[in-house]
Amino acid sequence: GRLDFGDLIVYSLKLLEENPYILAKCQERYKYILVDEFQDTNYAQTVLINLLAKKPKNICVVGDDDQSIYRFRGAYLTNIKDFKENYPEAKIVIMEQNYRSTKNILDAENKVIKNNCPNREDKELYTENPKGAKIKVLRAESPELEADEVVRIIKQKVLEEKRKYSDFAILLRSVASHAQPFINALKRSGMPYEVFGERSFFQRDEIKDIIAYLKVIDHPIENVVSLMRLLTCNANKVNEIELAKITQYADKNKLSAIEVMDRIYSLDLDLSLTTKSILYTFIANIKKLINLKHTSKLSELVYFVIYSNRYLNRFLLDGNIASMQKIANLNQLYDLSYEFEKRNENATLHEFLDYIDLAEKIGMDEARIEDGGNTVKVITVHRAKGKEYPVVFVSNLVQGRFPSKNRKDLIELPDELCKGEIPNSDLHLEDERRLMYVAMTRAKEELFLTLFKKPSVKAKASKPSVFLEELEYKDNPIVELKDIESKVPLESSIFEKLHTMYKKKVVDLLSKDAHHLEIFKYITLLEKIKGY
């Protein structure tokens, strides 16, 4: 019976359109309508706004079509133009004065975004701030050298200019695909950093898996979806067809799925011996965790699910950067349970799961970006929208990365179903250019644009981003181009040996159910060493 956000909009529209009395009462109650970030509204939201504002017509919207970066989420591009047509008597105030950035930064971003004409409102930002430093374009031989130079500059500015780590943001088109060289370089430097990618913290697979475990432990009969997730994840991997047989048997005999699994060897079910063995071990483990719920503190239970449940082992055995990031995320989930326990004496698992649900809904990741402490931020441009930093690096500015490749939808939406005017132009490139504009406008004092010549030794040469060409980065007087000299790679054999040694130690400690603080010590060493 639950509704998602889209359903709430659709059913609200249906209610107002079919019930004039309710519409009149809402119009009477809401005499003034104010809408922020109007460029990000979709068609249904705009219709709802117009319905509420139709009678009093006291409506004020604020938007910037140059920052419309959510077309993939339904925002349609002509909403500002349509607003003018729907409210011809509206007073239009063009706010062109910028209070954030230097004049050089504004001149650079204006030069790029004007290429979206004529599909944009005619405006050009200006500022009374100082001219500021030139835009720095850093061109390296490889992504690794690009990242090394970015981190070197951050370290230098912290030491020589007494800047804080939180003054710096590294903006990428995709963190999931392209952040590893920057993570490696930051780890080697020892600087504190945080990574914010396309998915929120609670939407990452390893976090969803552990939350699924906790939900099944809390209510094994009710949380069927979580149960099925655990049985189809890599840690257990039960055949989907055989799971379907179990659920069908449970429905037919009015049993829960977990009750059927608990009696897997005594029931007449056509399942393979492998599946029966997996389910027997899985249910025995769940029973053990349920018993632990009644005898242990919350943080101890979460620790046991993550570390003593063998879930962590496959990431340790992988040993790559992505796996180490997953380990760091799981550590953070444990820390979250520990902090919740400190704030709430005798906290229960159910209360913690309610807290996680609330934290996800209110966007805990966004709060972490704002209040993440004195750390360098590695973040996608989409996640950086609405934020500002004294020093910004917009990186990986090569064709195919930023702008990204145009990947068509598997099922294209017919033009007839699209609301609003569809511009006759390269919509993908215009979307990417608006995204570049948003990235550049995050910078307050200094803006660095970075790129690499080749993604790897054997790869073809990369072509500089079209946005750099539009900036005329080679000849523009407000731009300073610098080629980064190649460096001899750091000798890594000793670090590889240390990594192997520490990984073996962690696996050994896990097998012996050692104290979690001892395991944490070696996991922390692993995270540091893997950066080299």
PDB file of all heavy atoms in Angstrom, residues 356-383:
ATOM      1  N   ILE A 356      18.362   3.829  10.310  1.00  0.00           N
ATOM      2  CA  ILE A 356      18.965   3.722   8.977  1.00  0.00           C
ATOM      3  C   ILE A 356      17.964   4.130   7.903  1.00  0.00           C
ATOM      4  O   ILE A 356      18.293   4.861   6.958  1.00  0.00           O
ATOM      5  CB  ILE A 356      19.463   2.278   8.732  1.00  0.00           C
ATOM      6  CG1 ILE A 356      20.741   2.024   9.523  1.00  0.00           C
ATOM      7  CG2 ILE A 356      19.714   2.027   7.247  1.00  0.00           C
ATOM      8  CD1 ILE A 356      21.261   0.606   9.410  1.00  0.00           C
ATOM      9  N   ASP A 357      16.725   3.669   8.049  1.00  0.00           N
ATOM     10  CA  ASP A 357      15.679   4.015   7.083  1.00  0.00           C
ATOM     11  C   ASP A 357      15.476   5.523   7.034  1.00  0.00           C
ATOM     12  O   ASP A 357      15.372   6.121   5.945  1.00  0.00           O
ATOM     13  CB  ASP A 357      14.382   3.308   7.474  1.00  0.00           C
ATOM     14  CG  ASP A 357      13.286   3.509   6.442  1.00  0.00           C
ATOM     15  OD1 ASP A 357      13.552   3.273   5.247  1.00  0.00           O
ATOM     16  OD2 ASP A 357      12.168   3.909   6.816  1.00  0.00           O
ATOM     17  N   LEU A 358      15.446   6.168   8.197  1.00  0.00           N
ATOM     18  CA  LEU A 358      15.287   7.620   8.261  1.00  0.00           C
ATOM     19  C   LEU A 358      16.510   8.329   7.683  1.00  0.00           C
ATOM     20  O   LEU A 358      16.381   9.290   6.914  1.00  0.00           O
ATOM     21  CB  LEU A 358      15.063   8.060   9.709  1.00  0.00           C
ATOM     22  CG  LEU A 358      14.931   9.575   9.943  1.00  0.00           C
ATOM     23  CD1 LEU A 358      13.718  10.127   9.200  1.00  0.00           C
ATOM     24  CD2 LEU A 358      14.838   9.877  11.430  1.00  0.00           C
ATOM     25  N   ALA A 359      17.710   7.841   8.036  1.00  0.00           N
ATOM     26  CA  ALA A 359      18.948   8.456   7.547  1.00  0.00           C
ATOM     27  C   ALA A 359      19.022   8.416   6.030  1.00  0.00           C
ATOM     28  O   ALA A 359      19.471   9.369   5.386  1.00  0.00           O
ATOM     29  CB  ALA A 359      20.159   7.754   8.161  1.00  0.00           C
ATOM     30  N   GLU A 360      18.548   7.308   5.434  1.00  0.00           N
ATOM     31  CA  GLU A 360      18.555   7.203   3.970  1.00  0.00           C
ATOM     32  C   GLU A 360      17.557   8.175   3.347  1.00  0.00           C
ATOM     33  O   GLU A 360      17.848   8.823   2.344  1.00  0.00           O
ATOM     34  CB  GLU A 360      18.221   5.774   3.551  1.00  0.00           C
ATOM     35  CG  GLU A 360      18.278   5.567   2.050  1.00  0.00           C
ATOM     36  CD  GLU A 360      18.032   4.128   1.656  1.00  0.00           C
ATOM     37  OE1 GLU A 360      17.680   3.309   2.526  1.00  0.00           O
ATOM     38  OE2 GLU A 360      18.199   3.822   0.457  1.00  0.00           O
ATOM     39  N   LYS A 361      16.386   8.291   3.963  1.00  0.00           N
ATOM     40  CA  LYS A 361      15.349   9.162   3.402  1.00  0.00           C
ATOM     41  C   LYS A 361      15.751  10.636   3.445  1.00  0.00           C
ATOM     42  O   LYS A 361      15.452  11.400   2.527  1.00  0.00           O
ATOM     43  CB  LYS A 361      14.030   8.959   4.154  1.00  0.00           C
ATOM     44  CG  LYS A 361      13.340   7.646   3.817  1.00  0.00           C
ATOM     45  CD  LYS A 361      12.073   7.458   4.642  1.00  0.00           C
ATOM     46  CE  LYS A 361      11.396   6.143   4.284  1.00  0.00           C
ATOM     47  NZ  LYS A 361      10.212   5.882   5.137  1.00  0.00           N
ATOM     48  N   ILE A 362      16.415  11.055   4.533  1.00  0.00           N
ATOM     49  CA  ILE A 362      16.778  12.470   4.655  1.00  0.00           C
ATOM     50  C   ILE A 362      18.110  12.773   3.994  1.00  0.00           C
ATOM     51  O   ILE A 362      18.543  13.918   3.956  1.00  0.00           O
ATOM     52  CB  ILE A 362      16.821  12.918   6.134  1.00  0.00           C
ATOM     53  CG1 ILE A 362      17.939  12.197   6.894  1.00  0.00           C
ATOM     54  CG2 ILE A 362      15.477  12.726   6.793  1.00  0.00           C
ATOM     55  CD1 ILE A 362      18.115  12.680   8.315  1.00  0.00           C
ATOM     56  N   GLY A 363      18.767  11.735   3.445  1.00  0.00           N
ATOM     57  CA  GLY A 363      20.010  11.958   2.714  1.00  0.00           C
ATOM     58  C   GLY A 363      21.205  12.177   3.614  1.00  0.00           C
ATOM     59  O   GLY A 363      21.795  13.255   3.635  1.00  0.00           O
ATOM     60  N   MET A 364      21.575  11.148   4.370  1.00  0.00           N
ATOM     61  CA  MET A 364      22.712  11.274   5.280  1.00  0.00           C
ATOM     62  C   MET A 364      23.986  11.619   4.520  1.00  0.00           C
ATOM     63  O   MET A 364      24.837  12.347   5.007  1.00  0.00           O
ATOM     64  CB  MET A 364      22.923   9.990   6.070  1.00  0.00           C
ATOM     65  CG  MET A 364      23.975  10.121   7.171  1.00  0.00           C
ATOM     66  SD  MET A 364      24.383   8.558   7.974  1.00  0.00           S
ATOM     67  CE  MET A 364      25.484   7.824   6.777  1.00  0.00           C
ATOM     68  N   ASP A 365      24.118  11.109   3.273  1.00  0.00           N
ATOM     69  CA  ASP A 365      25.311  11.404   2.488  1.00  0.00           C
ATOM     70  C   ASP A 365      25.456  12.896   2.244  1.00  0.00           C
ATOM     71  O   ASP A 365      26.544  13.448   2.267  1.00  0.00           O
ATOM     72  CB  ASP A 365      25.250  10.680   1.138  1.00  0.00           C
ATOM     73  CG  ASP A 365      25.982   9.351   1.199  1.00  0.00           C
ATOM     74  OD1 ASP A 365      26.208   8.874   2.322  1.00  0.00           O
ATOM     75  OD2 ASP A 365      26.334   8.821   0.140  1.00  0.00           O
ATOM     76  N   GLU A 366      24.317  13.576   1.979  1.00  0.00           N
ATOM     77  CA  GLU A 366      24.376  15.012   1.730  1.00  0.00           C
ATOM     78  C   GLU A 366      24.876  15.744   2.971  1.00  0.00           C
ATOM     79  O   GLU A 366      25.655  16.692   2.879  1.00  0.00           O
ATOM     80  CB  GLU A 366      22.988  15.541   1.335  1.00  0.00           C
ATOM     81  CG  GLU A 366      22.457  14.949   0.039  1.00  0.00           C
ATOM     82  CD  GLU A 366      23.390  15.194  -1.135  1.00  0.00           C
ATOM     83  OE1 GLU A 366      23.965  16.282  -1.225  1.00  0.00           O
ATOM     84  OE2 GLU A 366      23.553  14.282  -1.956  1.00  0.00           O
ATOM     85  N   ALA A 367      24.414  15.285   4.155  1.00  0.00           N
ATOM     86  CA  ALA A 367      24.888  15.896   5.398  1.00  0.00           C
ATOM     87  C   ALA A 367      26.382  15.662   5.578  1.00  0.00           C
ATOM     88  O   ALA A 367      27.115  16.529   6.053  1.00  0.00           O
ATOM     89  CB  ALA A 367      24.108  15.336   6.588  1.00  0.00           C
ATOM     90  N   ARG A 368      26.849  14.461   5.169  1.00  0.00           N
ATOM     91  CA  ARG A 368      28.283  14.163   5.286  1.00  0.00           C
ATOM     92  C   ARG A 368      29.104  15.071   4.369  1.00  0.00           C
ATOM     93  O   ARG A 368      30.204  15.477   4.701  1.00  0.00           O
ATOM     94  CB  ARG A 368      28.537  12.692   4.923  1.00  0.00           C
ATOM     95  CG  ARG A 368      28.133  11.711   5.994  1.00  0.00           C
ATOM     96  CD  ARG A 368      28.268  10.290   5.499  1.00  0.00           C
ATOM     97  NE  ARG A 368      29.630  10.002   5.102  1.00  0.00           N
ATOM     98  CZ  ARG A 368      29.942   9.395   3.967  1.00  0.00           C
ATOM     99  NH1 ARG A 368      29.013   9.074   3.096  1.00  0.00           N
ATOM    100  NH2 ARG A 368      31.200   9.147   3.682  1.00  0.00           N
ATOM    101  N   ILE A 369      28.563  15.385   3.177  1.00  0.00           N
ATOM    102  CA  ILE A 369      29.282  16.275   2.271  1.00  0.00           C
ATOM    103  C   ILE A 369      29.411  17.655   2.899  1.00  0.00           C
ATOM    104  O   ILE A 369      30.440  18.319   2.816  1.00  0.00           O
ATOM    105  CB  ILE A 369      28.566  16.359   0.908  1.00  0.00           C
ATOM    106  CG1 ILE A 369      28.573  14.993   0.223  1.00  0.00           C
ATOM    107  CG2 ILE A 369      29.253  17.372   0.001  1.00  0.00           C
ATOM    108  CD1 ILE A 369      27.737  14.920  -1.033  1.00  0.00           C
ATOM    109  N   GLU A 370      28.320  18.108   3.533  1.00  0.00           N
ATOM    110  CA  GLU A 370      28.340  19.435   4.151  1.00  0.00           C
ATOM    111  C   GLU A 370      29.207  19.457   5.403  1.00  0.00           C
ATOM    112  O   GLU A 370      29.957  20.398   5.634  1.00  0.00           O
ATOM    113  CB  GLU A 370      26.900  19.845   4.525  1.00  0.00           C
ATOM    114  CG  GLU A 370      26.001  20.110   3.327  1.00  0.00           C
ATOM    115  CD  GLU A 370      26.311  21.406   2.628  1.00  0.00           C
ATOM    116  OE1 GLU A 370      27.223  22.125   3.072  1.00  0.00           O
ATOM    117  OE2 GLU A 370      25.646  21.704   1.623  1.00  0.00           O
ATOM    118  N   ASP A 371      29.087  18.405   6.229  1.00  0.00           N
ATOM    119  CA  ASP A 371      29.735  18.400   7.536  1.00  0.00           C
ATOM    120  C   ASP A 371      30.781  17.304   7.646  1.00  0.00           C
ATOM    121  O   ASP A 371      30.982  16.722   8.703  1.00  0.00           O
ATOM    122  CB  ASP A 371      28.677  18.227   8.636  1.00  0.00           C
ATOM    123  CG  ASP A 371      27.564  19.262   8.520  1.00  0.00           C
ATOM    124  OD1 ASP A 371      27.889  20.435   8.298  1.00  0.00           O
ATOM    125  OD2 ASP A 371      26.392  18.876   8.649  1.00  0.00           O
ATOM    126  N   GLY A 372      31.446  17.015   6.533  1.00  0.00           N
ATOM    127  CA  GLY A 372      32.368  15.895   6.507  1.00  0.00           C
ATOM    128  C   GLY A 372      33.683  16.163   7.187  1.00  0.00           C
ATOM    129  O   GLY A 372      34.590  15.342   7.122  1.00  0.00           O
ATOM    130  N   GLY A 373      33.810  17.324   7.838  1.00  0.00           N
ATOM    131  CA  GLY A 373      35.045  17.619   8.529  1.00  0.00           C
ATOM    132  C   GLY A 373      36.124  18.090   7.578  1.00  0.00           C
ATOM    133  O   GLY A 373      35.875  18.423   6.416  1.00  0.00           O
ATOM    134  N   ASN A 374      37.338  18.094   8.061  1.00  0.00           N
ATOM    135  CA  ASN A 374      38.463  18.634   7.298  1.00  0.00           C
ATOM    136  C   ASN A 374      39.024  17.559   6.370  1.00  0.00           C
ATOM    137  O   ASN A 374      40.077  16.976   6.629  1.00  0.00           O
ATOM    138  CB  ASN A 374      39.532  19.142   8.271  1.00  0.00           C
ATOM    139  CG  ASN A 374      40.605  19.942   7.566  1.00  0.00           C
ATOM    140  OD1 ASN A 374      40.399  20.453   6.466  1.00  0.00           O
ATOM    141  ND2 ASN A 374      41.762  20.045   8.192  1.00  0.00           N
ATOM    142  N   THR A 375      38.315  17.315   5.260  1.00  0.00           N
ATOM    143  CA  THR A 375      38.717  16.278   4.316  1.00  0.00           C
ATOM    144  C   THR A 375      38.620  16.793   2.885  1.00  0.00           C
ATOM    145  O   THR A 375      37.773  17.641   2.574  1.00  0.00           O
ATOM    146  CB  THR A 375      37.818  15.034   4.437  1.00  0.00           C
ATOM    147  OG1 THR A 375      36.453  15.421   4.186  1.00  0.00           O
ATOM    148  CG2 THR A 375      37.916  14.400   5.806  1.00  0.00           C
ATOM    149  N   VAL A 376      39.474  16.251   2.018  1.00  0.00           N
ATOM    150  CA  VAL A 376      39.366  16.501   0.580  1.00  0.00           C
ATOM    151  C   VAL A 376      38.174  15.703   0.067  1.00  0.00           C
ATOM    152  O   VAL A 376      37.995  14.539   0.424  1.00  0.00           O
ATOM    153  CB  VAL A 376      40.650  16.064  -0.156  1.00  0.00           C
ATOM    154  CG1 VAL A 376      40.498  16.257  -1.668  1.00  0.00           C
ATOM    155  CG2 VAL A 376      41.850  16.835   0.367  1.00  0.00           C
ATOM    156  N   LYS A 377      37.346  16.330  -0.768  1.00  0.00           N
ATOM    157  CA  LYS A 377      36.178  15.642  -1.310  1.00  0.00           C
ATOM    158  C   LYS A 377      36.459  15.172  -2.733  1.00  0.00           C
ATOM    159  O   LYS A 377      36.871  15.960  -3.590  1.00  0.00           O
ATOM    160  CB  LYS A 377      34.955  16.572  -1.325  1.00  0.00           C
ATOM    161  CG  LYS A 377      34.623  17.216   0.019  1.00  0.00           C
ATOM    162  CD  LYS A 377      34.219  16.202   1.049  1.00  0.00           C
ATOM    163  CE  LYS A 377      33.722  16.846   2.326  1.00  0.00           C
ATOM    164  NZ  LYS A 377      34.762  17.564   3.095  1.00  0.00           N
ATOM    165  N   VAL A 378      36.238  13.884  -2.979  1.00  0.00           N
ATOM    166  CA  VAL A 378      36.234  13.333  -4.339  1.00  0.00           C
ATOM    167  C   VAL A 378      34.773  13.034  -4.640  1.00  0.00           C
ATOM    168  O   VAL A 378      34.157  12.190  -3.983  1.00  0.00           O
ATOM    169  CB  VAL A 378      37.083  12.045  -4.436  1.00  0.00           C
ATOM    170  CG1 VAL A 378      37.085  11.515  -5.865  1.00  0.00           C
ATOM    171  CG2 VAL A 378      38.507  12.307  -3.960  1.00  0.00           C
ATOM    172  N   ILE A 379      34.208  13.707  -5.633  1.00  0.00           N
ATOM    173  CA  ILE A 379      32.752  13.735  -5.743  1.00  0.00           C
ATOM    174  C   ILE A 379      32.324  13.884  -7.196  1.00  0.00           C
ATOM    175  O   ILE A 379      33.034  14.485  -8.008  1.00  0.00           O
ATOM    176  CB  ILE A 379      32.211  14.906  -4.872  1.00  0.00           C
ATOM    177  CG1 ILE A 379      30.696  14.953  -4.833  1.00  0.00           C
ATOM    178  CG2 ILE A 379      32.764  16.244  -5.343  1.00  0.00           C
ATOM    179  CD1 ILE A 379      30.154  15.958  -3.822  1.00  0.00           C
ATOM    180  N   THR A 380      31.170  13.318  -7.529  1.00  0.00           N
ATOM    181  CA  THR A 380      30.628  13.512  -8.873  1.00  0.00           C
ATOM    182  C   THR A 380      30.090  14.932  -9.002  1.00  0.00           C
ATOM    183  O   THR A 380      29.718  15.567  -8.008  1.00  0.00           O
ATOM    184  CB  THR A 380      29.477  12.538  -9.167  1.00  0.00           C
ATOM    185  OG1 THR A 380      28.404  12.799  -8.249  1.00  0.00           O
ATOM    186  CG2 THR A 380      29.911  11.098  -9.050  1.00  0.00           C
ATOM    187  N   VAL A 381      30.012  15.411 -10.233  1.00  0.00           N
ATOM    188  CA  VAL A 381      29.498  16.766 -10.467  1.00  0.00           C
ATOM    189  C   VAL A 381      28.048  16.850 -10.019  1.00  0.00           C
ATOM    190  O   VAL A 381      27.632  17.850  -9.412  1.00  0.00           O
ATOM    191  CB  VAL A 381      29.639  17.154 -11.952  1.00  0.00           C
ATOM    192  CG1 VAL A 381      29.136  18.583 -12.173  1.00  0.00           C
ATOM    193  CG2 VAL A 381      31.089  17.038 -12.408  1.00  0.00           C
ATOM    194  N   HIS A 382      27.269  15.815 -10.297  1.00  0.00           N
ATOM    195  CA  HIS A 382      25.860  15.830  -9.877  1.00  0.00           C
ATOM    196  C   HIS A 382      25.733  15.982  -8.361  1.00  0.00           C
ATOM    197  O   HIS A 382      24.884  16.749  -7.876  1.00  0.00           O
ATOM    198  CB  HIS A 382      25.153  14.541 -10.317  1.00  0.00           C
ATOM    199  CG  HIS A 382      24.748  14.532 -11.752  1.00  0.00           C
ATOM    200  ND1 HIS A 382      25.477  13.896 -12.728  1.00  0.00           N
ATOM    201  CD2 HIS A 382      23.688  15.091 -12.393  1.00  0.00           C
ATOM    202  CE1 HIS A 382      24.876  14.049 -13.893  1.00  0.00           C
ATOM    203  NE2 HIS A 382      23.790  14.768 -13.722  1.00  0.00           N
ATOM    204  N   ARG A 383      26.577  15.260  -7.611  1.00  0.00           N
ATOM    205  CA  ARG A 383      26.497  15.346  -6.151  1.00  0.00           C
ATOM    206  C   ARG A 383      27.021  16.680  -5.621  1.00  0.00           C
ATOM    207  O   ARG A 383      26.691  17.082  -4.495  1.00  0.00           O
ATOM    208  CB  ARG A 383      27.283  14.195  -5.506  1.00  0.00           C
ATOM    209  CG  ARG A 383      26.772  12.808  -5.832  1.00  0.00           C
ATOM    210  CD  ARG A 383      25.426  12.505  -5.201  1.00  0.00           C
ATOM    211  NE  ARG A 383      25.458  12.486  -3.761  1.00  0.00           N
ATOM    212  CZ  ARG A 383      25.862  11.453  -3.040  1.00  0.00           C
ATOM    213  NH1 ARG A 383      26.285  10.348  -3.634  1.00  0.00           N
ATOM    214  NH2 ARG A 383      25.843  11.495  -1.734  1.00  0.00           N
TER     215      ARG A 383
END
